[in-house]
Amino acid sequence: QVQLVESGGGSVQAGGSLRLSCTISGYSRRMAWFRQAPGKEREGIALIVTGGVATLYADSVKGRFTISRDDAKNTVYLQMNSLKPEDTGMYYCAAGATFTWRLVSSDFPYWGQGTQVTVSS
């Protein structure tokens, strides 16, 4: 059973930064970050492939967030800069997809428990 553990969430003022980490108990060709705000659907925000040679971002975070991975540590990161109140939500790490190139939650069979990010104005 693949397990994912996220860390790094917290509270920050608008304009601030946070770095999320997600460690997986195995290997996944694709890894991604999703987020869900209260009352809203889960949104895919970033995806990365093996070796970090390619990344995909949602328009809502492009230019502010950076996804990266350290395959030797089985860890994926999400550096979040210039945070806005609308970035508030539960952030989830996802894994297990092999060939997807889209930010769709149903493509990822394995999920972490989530880490809360709160951005105040």
Side-chain angles (χ1 to χ4, degrees), residues 12 46 56 61 71 92 97 105 115:
V12 65
L56 176 67
V61 305
D71 289 329
Y92 298 91
S105 58
T115 185

Side-chain angles (χ1 to χ4, degrees), residues 3-112:
Q3 293 185 332
L4 293 86
V5 179
E6 301 107 330
S7 61
S11 297
V12 65
Q13 289 191 330
S17 299
L18 284 173
R19 188 193 194 206
L20 307 183
S21 299
C22 171
T23 300
I24 183 172
S25 62
Y27 169 77
S28 178
R29 191 185 299 266
R30 260 71 161 156
M31 296 189 72
W33 288 96
F34 289 73
R35 68 184 180 188
Q36 188 166 20
K40 294 188 176 182
E41 293 186 356
R42 190 167 295 188
E43 173 192 19
I45 55 175
L47 179 151
I48 190 166
V49 306
T50 301
V53 296
T55 55
L56 176 67
Y57 295 95
D59 288 342
S60 58
V61 305
K62 199 174 295 182
R64 300 187 298 122
F65 291 10
T66 302
I67 188 171
S68 61
R69 65 189 288 171
D70 185 336
D71 289 329
K73 296 181 179 179
N74 288 340
T75 300
V76 62
Y77 305 96
L78 186 68
Q79 178 67 42
M80 305 185 294
N81 298 329
S82 302
L83 282 161
K84 305 175 181 179
E86 51 263 45
D87 293 319
T88 294
M90 188 70 77
Y91 282 66
Y92 298 91
C93 178
T98 303
F99 299 111
T100 189
W101 191 244
R102 58 180 188 172
L103 291 164
V104 175
S105 58
S106 58
D107 287 351
F108 295 85
Y110 305 116
W111 294 80

